Amino acid sequence: MADPLTSTRGQAAYRCLREMILDGTFPPETPLQENMLAARLGVSRTPIREALAQLLNEGLIARVSGLTPVVKRLSVDDFVEILHMRRLLEVEAAGRAARSSGTAVLRPIRERMMAFVAGEQPTDEEHAALDDQLHAAIASLSGSRLLTRYVTDLRLKTKMFDRGRLPERLVPGSQEHVAIIDAILAGQPEQAQEAMCTHLNNVRASILAYLGRLT
Amino acid sequence: MADPLTSTRGQAAYRCLREMILDGTFPPETPLQENMLAARLGVSRTPIREALAQLLNEGLIARVSGLTPVVKRLSVDDFVEILHMRRLLEVEAAGRAARSSGTAVLRPIRERMMAFVAGEQPTDEEHAALDDQLHAAIASLSGSRLLTRYVTDLRLKTKMFDRGRLPERLVPGSQEHVAIIDAILAGQPEQAQEAMCTHLNNVRASILAYLGRLT
DNA sequence: ACAGGAAGTATTGTATACATCCTGAAGGCA
DNA sequence: TGCCTTCAGGATGTATACAATACTTCCTGT
């Protein structure tokens, strides 16, 4: 049988709502009323409430003035804060990954990244999935479940900015990823940390430039 | 009126259960059955389920083999992992706090700490509360809500080890706290970071020694 | 016309009843 | 004797009904 935890309607509703928030089906400030969601997902309010509680904990939604929770709008400051935290944690993770064994799992990811550098054009989903896979693998190689979880949580919140909005970052981003991987494979913690730090600084700079371009 | 969020039975149950777990009323491995808890707290299963979901998210309880969640037993490795993460985050927070304005809030805390150094014997609750207050204030001075929240969450999980088990740490611990405060008040980030790092290393060492003494 | 209040409406909080699934034990068969 | 099957009990997942609360709108008085 499937994992009972992920096969309950409550968990399914959670994943569904999270996806709808991240992909823009529910834009920021959208009020999420329990009855509306229950009707829309075809379940009762009980699993909906469970899902909302989880999203509330994660910070993807918030109760602004008391009652009905709304989709949280990430301010630029929020975004910078999250990326700052990600840098702190992922730089640490990269350093620890370089000291770990089992780094071979990074090799197939490196191959795919090299293909992007060589000119292959992946779909957004493909690219995002590989990005996730790499950062998750590095966090996991750190050997700390806590670090892995925090990195995963933080990356979730910035994911809505990664949706193919910055195609010009594909090749340089992939090059930076390869640099991080190579430093880890070579067992050089300082270089791995530096490469990760550079990468995240570039991500921040390019997204801030994108946001500035909008105004 | 009181904050509507904290006056619901669900939130009350959450705080109540959390306290019971942290103070040992529910020791590790205790199964937390919804019916039992509902009867014990005098509410229905609905708010209990809400509270359990929150505790589950926080990691204070876990579903080990499927069904009934049990109070999580913190292994030594878990503890080291948490303290490692705390060091990473709180060192960062101390550095940023030293660069911030508004550090005057630390002065009354410093006075109390000095009283402990001078020989005053606080109750466990008093000491724990001041400790919380200091670390929370430093995290808050970092200017990052995210950092503050993470530090708070992590400290919660190690709190069960702080319950007056290490009376010999009172004076040196308070001295270390004063050193951190003084570095922040003096606006010296590097020294603040170093003092915080030293402090947390000492905390880890003394608790590991305590745990080793048990075996 | 504007402010204050009161009633109605809608939404969340809580309790309870029902459905589903897991667990454990008893009994039968090889 | 040991293992598998089956059934009973219980615990969680889900739906629904009810209670309480916050918001909205309209009315009234100044």
Side-chain angles (χ1 to χ4, degrees):
Chain A
M1 177 191 315
D3 189 344
L5 275 184
T6 65
S7 68
T8 65
R9 292 172 206 259
Q11 288 301 308
Y14 162 72
R15 286 196 309 275
C16 184
L17 290 180
R18 187 182 66 183
E19 194 56 33
M20 288 169 117
I21 290 170
L22 292 178
D23 75 6
T25 305
F26 292 135
E29 313 296 334
T30 306
L32 298 180
Q33 294 180 0
E34 297 173 2
N35 272 321
M36 183 267 286
L37 297 174
R40 190 150 174 172
L41 298 189
V43 297
S44 81
R45 276 178 55 212
T46 307
I48 295 292
R49 284 179 64 82
E50 212 170 305
L52 289 179
Q54 211 161 335
L55 292 167
L56 225 38
N57 255 326
E58 266 181 71
L60 254 59
I61 68 180
R63 292 186 197 277
V64 278
S65 78
L67 221 57
T68 304
V70 301
V71 177
K72 199 166 174 183
R73 177 186 299 283
L74 231 56
S75 69
V76 175
D77 280 353
D78 290 333
F79 174 75
V80 169
E81 217 174 83
I82 292 172
L83 221 53
H84 195 106
M85 182 73 77
R86 271 188 58 190
R87 196 179 63 188
L88 184 65
L89 298 185
E90 296 204 61
V91 164
E92 169 82 4
R96 288 217 246 167
R99 291 186 191 88
S100 86
S101 59
T103 54
V105 297
L106 297 178
R107 292 197 180 278
I109 300 178
R110 186 184 190 283
E111 296 310 308
R112 299 285 299 127
M113 286 288 172
M114 286 302 286
F116 297 164
V117 173
E120 185 183 324
Q121 294 286 332
T123 65
D124 285 347
E125 288 73 26
E126 228 177 326
H127 181 220
L130 191 66
D131 199 54
D132 267 353
Q133 214 179 322
L134 172 58
H135 284 267
I138 291 173
S140 176
L141 282 174
S142 78
S144 171
R145 283 169 306 225
L146 207 53
L147 193 51
T148 305
R149 160 134 195 219
Y150 277 11
V151 168
T152 305
D153 283 359
L154 289 172
R155 283 180 54 79
L156 189 69
K157 293 186 190 173
T158 55
K159 188 170 272 185
M160 61 179 67
F161 290 104
D162 303 343
R163 297 265 167 178
R165 299 214 180 141
L166 301 165
E168 74 273 18
R169 279 282 301 161
L170 174 62
V171 169
S174 298
Q175 285 171 332
E176 290 161 19
H177 281 151
V178 169
I180 298 169
I181 295 174
D182 286 343
I184 293 175
L185 288 175
Q188 299 178 320
E190 289 81 8
Q191 286 193 21
Q193 291 191 336
E194 195 180 323
M196 180 64 87
C197 190
T198 300
H199 173 56
L200 289 175
N201 284 338
N202 288 341
V203 168
R204 180 181 60 185
S206 62
I207 293 186
L208 285 182
Y210 169 78
L211 291 177
R213 216 179 303 149
L214 289 181
T215 60
Chain B
M1 175 191 320
D3 189 342
L5 276 183
T6 66
S7 68
T8 66
R9 291 171 205 261
Q11 288 300 308
Y14 162 71
R15 287 196 308 275
C16 183
L17 290 180
R18 189 183 63 183
E19 195 55 33
M20 288 170 116
I21 290 171
L22 291 178
D23 75 6
T25 305
F26 292 136
E29 313 297 333
T30 306
L32 298 180
Q33 294 179 3
E34 297 174 1
N35 273 320
M36 182 267 285
L37 297 174
R40 189 149 175 174
L41 298 189
V43 296
S44 80
R45 275 178 56 213
T46 307
I48 295 292
R49 284 179 63 81
E50 212 170 304
L52 289 179
Q54 211 161 335
L55 292 168
L56 225 38
N57 254 325
E58 265 180 71
L60 254 60
I61 67 180
R63 292 184 197 279
V64 277
S65 77
L67 224 55
T68 304
V70 301
V71 177
K72 198 166 175 182
R73 176 185 299 283
L74 232 56
S75 70
V76 175
D77 281 353
D78 290 332
F79 174 75
V80 169
E81 217 175 82
I82 292 172
L83 222 53
H84 195 107
M85 181 73 79
R86 270 187 60 189
R87 195 179 64 188
L88 185 65
L89 298 184
E90 296 204 60
V91 164
E92 169 82 6
R96 288 217 246 167
R99 291 186 191 87
S100 87
S101 59
T103 55
V105 296
L106 298 178
R107 292 198 180 278
I109 300 177
R110 187 184 189 283
E111 296 311 308
R112 298 286 300 128
M113 285 290 170
M114 285 301 286
F116 296 164
V117 173
E120 184 183 326
Q121 293 286 333
T123 66
D124 285 348
E125 289 71 27
E126 226 177 329
H127 181 218
L130 191 66
D131 200 53
D132 266 353
Q133 214 180 322
L134 172 59
H135 284 268
I138 291 173
S140 176
L141 282 174
S142 77
S144 171
R145 284 170 306 228
L146 207 53
L147 192 51
T148 305
R149 160 135 193 218
Y150 277 10
V151 167
T152 305
D153 283 359
L154 289 172
R155 283 180 54 78
L156 188 69
K157 293 186 192 174
T158 55
K159 187 169 272 184
M160 61 180 70
F161 290 104
D162 303 343
R163 297 265 166 178
R165 299 213 181 143
L166 301 165
E168 74 273 18
R169 279 282 299 160
L170 174 61
V171 169
S174 298
Q175 285 171 333
E176 291 160 18
H177 281 150
V178 169
I180 298 169
I181 295 174
D182 286 344
I184 293 175
L185 288 174
Q188 300 178 321
E190 289 82 7
Q191 285 194 21
Q193 290 192 338
E194 196 182 322
M196 179 64 87
C197 189
T198 300
H199 172 57
L200 289 175
N201 284 338
N202 288 341
V203 168
R204 180 180 60 186
S206 61
I207 293 186
L208 286 181
Y210 169 77
L211 290 177
R213 217 179 304 149
L214 288 181
T215 61

